[in-house]
Amino acid sequence: MSSTSQSPATGAKIIAETLRDLGVSVIFGLVGVPVSDVAEQAINIGIRFIGFRNEQAASYAATAYGYLSRRPGVCLVVGGPGVLHAIAGVGNASENNFPLLLLGGSVETHQVTKGAFQELDSIALLKPHTEIAETPTVASLPRSGTDEARLARVAFLIKNAKAPLVLIGKGAAYARAENSIRAFIEQTSIPFLPSPMGKGVNTDSHSANASSARSAALKMADVVIILGARLNWIFHYGEAPKWSSSAKFVQVDISAEEMGRNAADAEYSLLGDVDLVTQQLSKCLGNWRYDSASSQYVHNLEIAQRKNERVSLVAAKDNSMPLTYGRVFDVIKSALHSLSPPSEGGICYIAKGANTTDISRSIFPLQHPRLRLDAGTCATMGASSGPAKRKKIVAIEGDSAFGFSGMEVETMARIGMDILNFVVNNGGIYFGDSNTAEDWVAKHEKTKRNESGLRSWALGWEVKYQKMAEACGGLDFLVRTPEELKKATIAGFNATVPVIVNVLIQSGKAEKASFGWQVAPKKRSKKANL
């Protein structure tokens, strides 16, 4: 018997062994007094510990792991500031319903209220944002179907719809409901629209995918079946004018608190596991099939799709210099697809940054689920840099978003991750503040003199972010042209170390800063309402 197994049953050893018995194989975190020994004991018994440079990034990585694995991601941090930093991941996990177990350090009980080192009442702080698991086992929880009478009422509503639409969210991806949802779409021929992280639950290449006509689909739909998605800011709360004011929403969700939220009506809610409920709904609809061939609604969607695809094609082939977002994403997509076609499902895309996330969401097609991670419900920046080994990870992020957790490139290098990072660098938050280096220097000098110089959204001019990779033993590229970008993409994909491709693009126009989906509709004047 090893010396480790003969060591005293300390608290740290008990925690480590309990985690092992629960099936935990990896812990994310940042150690210090008093949690270092927990990590050491975990390593001793075969649990992998991935040490980060900041608790925020560690907690985000644990939430991503929880989403992808459907098992709680474990995050280990010190008390006080460690917990405070990690609360970012707690909030992100809570809002997105991702499973997370946060283990935080604490002062000794006899020191409570004395002002001890890193003393913090973590329980009181985190209690409103967390739930406590009452059964410490790894047995699978039973899945629940929905009420049959309510199901029949919903089926009647769908059969009488003139313009039905299915929304597919990340909840459907998390529930592994792709087979039942794909069968449902094939059976019914109803157009569908995935959320960014719901992409791939049904293939993006499917003829019923209405993503290219998103605005038209929302505006025209009269009955909307929501499979594991929320009527939040991503889907404009289900409200006019983005949606028809007469649209009826059928929510399929495992969370009762989502029922009837925003513009939805709880009368048509179907509470239960999205996989099982979708199967129930398919059975209830029987041989019914939406007549898409003769539908004016589908015809209008096709017209909108062709129009929008022409606009996207123009943006993709824009040869302006510096590069534009559309051109950058088209070059990256073409290069990656030549190396790993979407049908293979060999790439997991990560997107963060307002413009980067918003514009790239429709550029990179997915044929398989759970291959895209982004800001999620909370629009959380910095959530993607934590390692989560799955396929070839390609992170596409703005220069502002990269700054939130850029130091985690060292973490990637230390644990041997070959993540390909693109920093889409426009020299600003949302947009830049200068068109030339001389312009930026002049504004910077004014700022130093307390005059009106750089605006609040300005960042450094052409900052050499790629040097972070060089400093950590990875590969670095600074690119300005499509040819340079293509070459860097291919080299980065084939690399076995972390890669940063710093892509210098146009600063963009100074506009009201927001996510594209967050823009509120313009209010009509009272006169217009008459």
Side-chain angles (χ1 to χ4, degrees):
M1 190 175 284
S2 68
S3 59
T4 301
S5 62
Q6 294 174 340
S7 60
T10 63
K13 185 178 181 182
I14 292 172
I15 292 172
E17 291 178 345
T18 301
L19 291 174
R20 178 197 60 194
D21 294 343
L22 288 170
V24 173
S25 60
V26 60
I27 297 174
F28 305 88
L30 198 163
V31 297
V33 176
V35 302
S36 299
D37 197 40
V38 175
E40 289 299 304
Q41 292 290 344
I43 292 171
N44 290 342
I45 59 175
I47 297 176
R48 188 183 188 192
F49 178 78
I50 301 179
F52 282 71
R53 304 302 294 267
N54 185 284
E55 293 92 351
Q56 173 181 300
S59 66
Y60 285 151
T63 63
Y65 180 90
Y67 167 71
L68 293 173
S69 68
R70 289 208 301 178
R71 299 179 59 83
V74 180
C75 184
L76 177 67
V77 299
V78 301
V83 171
L84 287 174
H85 290 176
I87 200 172
V90 172
N92 196 49
S94 178
E95 187 67 18
N96 287 286
N97 286 342
F98 294 161
L100 170 70
L101 173 61
L102 177 65
L103 300 177
S106 175
V107 301
E108 296 181 17
T109 54
H110 69 273
Q111 293 179 329
V112 173
T113 73
K114 288 186 176 182
F117 176 69
Q118 294 186 338
E119 181 178 354
L120 175 72
D121 188 351
S122 301
I123 301 301
L125 179 68
L126 297 173
K127 191 172 183 179
H129 310 287
T130 59
E131 296 182 10
I132 298 176
E134 297 179 352
T135 307
T137 67
V138 296
S140 298
L141 296 176
R143 298 188 300 162
S144 59
T146 196
D147 178 72
E148 292 291 340
R150 187 178 290 266
L151 194 70
R153 186 161 63 249
V154 167
F156 178 81
L157 183 70
I158 294 173
K159 288 180 179 180
N160 287 276
K162 290 183 172 57
L165 179 68
V166 174
L167 299 185
I168 303 175
K170 65 178 179 291
Y174 178 82
R176 271 50 175 184
E178 53 267 24
N179 290 335
S180 61
I181 290 176
R182 291 183 180 194
F184 179 79
I185 298 297
E186 288 298 324
Q187 172 187 333
T188 64
S189 191
I190 297 176
F192 71 93
L193 186 66
S195 72
M197 287 177 61
K199 286 168 65 67
V201 171
N202 200 11
T203 61
D204 278 347
S205 61
H206 196 284
S207 59
N209 185 0
S211 292
S212 296
R214 186 179 192 274
S215 296
L218 301 190
K219 185 66 176 177
M220 292 188 291
D222 61 355
V223 174
V224 185
I225 304 101
I226 308 172
L227 303 178
R230 288 170 167 167
L231 280 181
N232 57 13
W233 66 276
I234 292 176
F235 286 116
H236 306 288
Y237 314 105
E239 298 174 350
K242 292 292 186 180
W243 294 87
S244 168
S245 59
S246 61
K248 292 182 173 59
F249 296 93
V250 177
Q251 294 171 293
V252 179
D253 206 289
I254 201 170
S255 300
E257 61 269 21
E258 289 298 316
M259 303 309 181
R261 192 176 182 185
N262 294 326
D265 188 341
E267 177 185 357
Y268 300 111
S269 299
L270 298 177
L271 181 65
D273 177 85
V274 66
D275 185 28
L276 291 182
V277 175
T278 302
Q279 294 178 44
Q280 286 182 286
L281 190 55
S282 293
K283 183 177 180 181
C284 192
L285 288 170
N287 294 325
W288 177 84
R289 183 178 178 85
Y290 179 63
D291 186 7
S292 58
S294 61
S295 168
Q296 185 63 43
Y297 161 61
V298 172
H299 178 66
N300 290 340
L301 287 180
E302 291 171 347
I303 293 175
Q305 284 177 319
R306 289 193 291 270
K307 178 182 177 181
N308 293 336
E309 287 168 358
R310 285 195 296 269
V311 172
S312 297
L313 181 62
V314 171
K317 302 307 178 185
D318 187 345
N319 289 318
S320 301
M321 293 298 294
L323 294 168
T324 63
Y325 283 103
R327 186 72 172 116
V328 166
F329 295 149
D330 182 65
V331 172
I332 294 174
K333 179 182 73 172
S334 298
L336 291 179
H337 285 188
S338 69
L339 298 164
S340 179
S343 60
E344 295 180 357
I347 298 176
C348 178
Y349 291 97
I350 295 173
K352 63 177 182 177
N355 292 328
T356 304
T357 298
D358 202 37
I359 297 172
S360 70
R361 62 183 165 83
S362 60
I363 303 296
F364 299 92
L366 297 181
Q367 306 298 81
H368 304 276
R370 297 172 295 280
L371 292 180
R372 179 184 167 99
L373 296 172
D374 60 28
T377 300
C378 280
T380 308
M381 295 301 101
S384 66
S385 290
K389 189 64 176 176
R390 180 181 173 87
K391 313 291 185 179
K392 178 70 177 186
I393 300 176
V394 176
I396 305 174
E397 47 205 315
D399 50 334
S400 172
F402 178 78
F404 279 83
S405 48
M407 194 62 207
E408 300 307 332
V409 173
E410 187 276 331
T411 305
M412 301 175 195
R414 176 169 20 99
I415 65 174
M417 296 201 74
D418 57 354
I419 297 179
L420 172 54
N421 301 273
F422 292 94
V423 179
V424 186
N425 187 353
N426 67 350
I429 302 169
Y430 299 101
F431 36 77
D433 194 35
S434 307
N435 293 314
T436 65
E438 292 76 14
D439 183 27
W440 190 89
V441 170
K443 290 185 177 184
H444 179 56
E445 290 299 320
K446 282 187 175 183
T447 299
K448 291 194 294 184
R449 297 194 299 267
N450 291 324
E451 299 176 16
S452 180
L454 292 169
R455 307 308 302 172
S456 61
W457 57 75
L459 295 175
W461 178 259
E462 296 190 352
V463 175
K464 305 302 187 291
Y465 295 107
Q466 76 279 3
K467 295 296 183 181
M468 285 290 298
E470 179 188 12
C472 300
L475 293 181
D476 60 292
F477 299 89
L478 177 68
V479 304
R480 299 176 185 272
T481 68
E483 295 74 22
E484 291 173 343
L485 179 56
K486 179 180 179 180
K487 182 178 179 181
T489 300
I490 294 173
F493 183 88
N494 292 318
T496 57
V497 293
V499 177
I500 296 179
V501 180
N502 188 8
V503 189
L504 301 181
I505 69 167
Q506 296 177 11
S507 292
K509 297 180 181 179
E511 301 171 343
K512 184 176 180 182
S514 68
F515 274 90
W517 295 354
Q518 193 183 13
V519 177
K522 294 181 179 179
K523 293 183 178 179
R524 295 184 297 174
S525 65
K526 291 183 178 179
K527 184 177 181 180
N529 290 327
L530 296 177

